[in-house]
Amino acid sequence: MAPPSATMTESYEVPQTKPSNGYDKPDSQPEGTVAHETGPSQRGVKASMQHFPAPPKFSDKYEEREYLKGRLALAFRIFGKEGFDEGVAGHITLRDPVKPDHFWVNPFGVAFSQIKKSDLILVNHEGKVVDGGPVRLLNQAAYMIHAAVHAARPDVMCAAHSHSIYGRAFCALGRPIDIITQDSCAFYDDLAVYNSFRGVVLVKEEGENIAKSLGNKKAVLLQNHGLLTVGQTIEATIFWFCSLEKCCRAQLMADAAAAGRGGATIKIDDEDASFTYKAVGTPRAGWFSAKPAFDVMERESAPEVFA
């Protein structure tokens, strides 16, 4: 694991990209669809519509910052509960709404399950810790990866990477997941693979290569490494990570079962996968899907997590 560093001097200037309209804002949802519901017509059959909530909006950027820092602390607690910690590896970043070229991240060496809002540290575009909690150690790999991703993707508010067990097992295959379940449809044509591994990410070039591989997608499988997800909200980012981890687990199990019977898994066809993606793969759908987990974690950890 990379040694702590709070004295990075490299800044990022990488080509920017973003998803298409309808997938590039926190409450984005294509017209005619709503989160986890079919649109008005599915293969010619009419379906009912209903109103769904959307992420909160703020007129005061400082108020937004405090709210989002609380959500980020909850995100770390969720990762801890899910067992996504591995020693000191793993990081989730939040683009600062007040200073968009800065991001908040977990201090190096502090357990996910113990992180509080006041523990988070603020890092500038040069990799220097400029504000935050009492432990101001910065994971150099976290800076190298996340600085490049945030620079390349102006739409991304949050990015998450951790060495989850099924994600890193599947990433040893160096290939994308198959679209074999409804849940995997959230990643239909929205998942990249970075087919390289050069050790712990300690140099700017490797971070840039990962950002380029991610492109305008919501997730990338880092070969021989693990999962990286991004989103327009903290909640969506965390849901995409948790869901992709489970998709990796499901495919590892399904592939083994199919091989044991001398066959192969059944893939969802492109038309149905695309239709389902518009319902479950959008920023708003990701935010809404994460809401139960965040509600539970807030009930379990408040008020300590907001201290």
Side-chain angles (χ1 to χ4, degrees):
M1 177 53 58
S5 172
T7 59
M8 298 301 301
T9 59
E10 295 181 295
S11 59
Y12 279 86
E13 294 182 5
V14 295
Q16 293 188 345
T17 184
K18 67 176 184 177
S20 59
N21 291 336
Y23 298 90
D24 60 343
K25 294 181 174 60
D27 57 353
S28 289
Q29 190 73 26
E31 185 177 354
T33 64
V34 289
H36 280 299
E37 292 295 323
T38 55
S41 179
Q42 181 178 15
R43 291 186 179 267
V45 178
K46 291 290 183 180
S48 62
M49 299 282 286
Q50 55 182 304
H51 174 74
F52 277 77
K57 296 181 180 180
F58 296 85
S59 57
D60 185 323
K61 292 297 182 182
Y62 289 93
E63 181 183 355
E64 182 179 9
R65 170 194 275 177
E66 293 307 309
Y67 172 80
L68 292 178
K69 286 174 63 181
R71 303 302 279 181
L72 183 58
L74 289 173
F76 282 111
R77 298 281 181 122
I78 291 171
F79 264 33
K81 185 176 182 179
E82 292 291 336
F84 294 160
D85 48 351
E86 179 76 13
V88 295
H91 18 85
I92 309 172
T93 53
L94 162 70
R95 186 190 299 276
D96 184 50
V98 177
K99 300 178 179 179
D101 62 346
H102 291 50
F103 60 78
W104 295 91
V105 67
N106 50 308
F108 200 23
V110 177
F112 287 176
S113 60
Q114 299 299 309
I115 285 181
K116 304 185 298 293
K117 176 180 170 181
S118 58
D119 290 323
L120 300 171
I121 57 176
L122 182 64
V123 181
N124 69 12
H125 65 286
E126 295 180 341
K128 296 180 180 178
V129 178
V130 297
D131 198 359
V135 179
R136 297 198 174 185
L137 297 179
L138 172 63
N139 183 336
Q140 186 173 341
Y143 170 73
M144 290 299 178
I145 295 173
H146 291 259
V149 169
H150 282 289
R153 290 285 299 276
D155 65 296
V156 163
M157 177 62 71
C158 180
H161 167 65
S162 186
H163 298 176
S164 55
I165 185 64
Y166 296 104
R168 69 191 190 203
F170 191 85
C171 285
L173 304 177
R175 50 160 297 188
I177 62 171
D178 293 327
I179 308 302
I180 56 174
T181 65
Q182 175 175 303
D183 304 285
S184 65
C185 289
F187 302 96
Y188 175 74
D189 197 27
D190 204 8
L191 175 70
V193 178
Y194 179 52
N195 292 120
S196 179
F197 179 74
R198 299 177 181 175
V200 178
V201 182
L202 301 180
V203 296
K204 179 181 178 182
E205 181 183 7
E206 189 69 357
E208 291 177 342
N209 288 339
I210 290 173
K212 290 175 184 176
S213 179
L214 172 67
N216 66 350
K217 310 298 186 186
K218 68 159 60 84
V220 58
L221 302 175
L222 306 177
Q223 183 178 293
N224 306 114
H225 192 170
L227 312 180
L228 172 70
T229 60
V230 301
Q232 290 73 26
T233 60
I234 295 169
E235 293 85 353
T237 303
I238 299 309
F239 182 76
W240 301 142
F241 191 99
C242 294
S243 182
L244 185 55
E245 166 76 358
K246 292 175 182 176
C247 285
C248 290
R249 180 179 185 180
Q251 184 166 343
L252 289 169
M253 296 171 66
D255 282 347
R261 296 173 62 87
T265 57
I266 298 173
K267 314 303 188 288
I268 297 174
D269 67 57
D270 289 340
E271 181 181 357
D272 290 329
S274 178
F275 176 84
T276 306
Y277 172 80
K278 293 176 182 178
V280 304
T282 65
R284 187 173 174 188
W287 174 85
F288 187 67
S289 296
K291 186 177 181 299
F294 276 78
D295 289 345
V296 169
M297 184 51 64
E298 183 171 356
R299 180 179 290 271
E300 291 179 353
S301 58
E304 178 197 25
V305 70
F306 298 122

